[in-house]
Amino acid sequence: MEKVMKTHRVNELIELIHPEWKKNSDLNLVQFLLKLAEEAKYEGRLEDLTDDILIYHLKMRNSDENAMIPGIAKDCENDFKTAILRARGIIK
């Protein structure tokens, strides 16, 4: 199961990075990763940059700066009462 998850993560990262890297084809891969890390305000060492940071940054890179992060939006409720009822399992 873990191998399937890693394969899925690699495929997702490649799918997201490919079109963006093509827009910056003058950069080699490490330079492009450094650029993404800088854009994401990542301040650690490049070898500690996680797949999650890259995936979420690439998903959000061309979106409105006020857009909600994918994965959170699906669980967001605009109405507090609905959120409470859904959390208690009263409504689905």
Side-chain angles (χ1 to χ4, degrees):
M1 181 70 170
E2 187 175 320
K3 188 174 183 176
V4 171
M5 288 301 291
K6 285 185 180 184
T7 301
H8 172 73
R9 182 180 295 272
V10 168
N11 290 339
E12 182 178 17
L13 191 52
I14 290 170
E15 182 179 304
L16 290 167
I17 207 168
H18 185 253
E20 296 301 316
W21 190 14
K22 283 172 60 174
K23 295 176 190 174
N24 295 270
S25 60
D26 57 317
L27 302 177
N28 68 42
L29 180 58
V30 174
Q31 291 170 326
F32 186 61
L33 291 174
L34 285 168
K35 179 179 179 165
L36 292 174
E38 183 179 300
E39 288 175 5
K41 309 289 188 240
Y42 177 76
E43 296 180 355
R45 300 178 319 172
L46 185 60
E47 58 266 26
D48 296 328
L49 182 64
T50 65
D51 299 341
D52 289 332
I53 291 172
L54 289 171
I55 289 169
Y56 277 105
H57 179 64
L58 287 163
K59 284 183 176 183
M60 299 299 293
R61 189 171 195 228
N62 297 313
S63 63
D64 178 7
E65 78 175 39
N66 295 319
M68 196 171 295
I69 296 171
I72 293 177
K74 69 178 177 59
D75 296 326
C76 183
E77 292 290 343
N78 294 326
D79 173 22
F80 181 74
K81 181 179 175 183
T82 303
I84 293 295
L85 293 172
R86 193 174 309 280
R88 292 185 177 166
I90 297 170
I91 60 173
K92 293 199 186 245

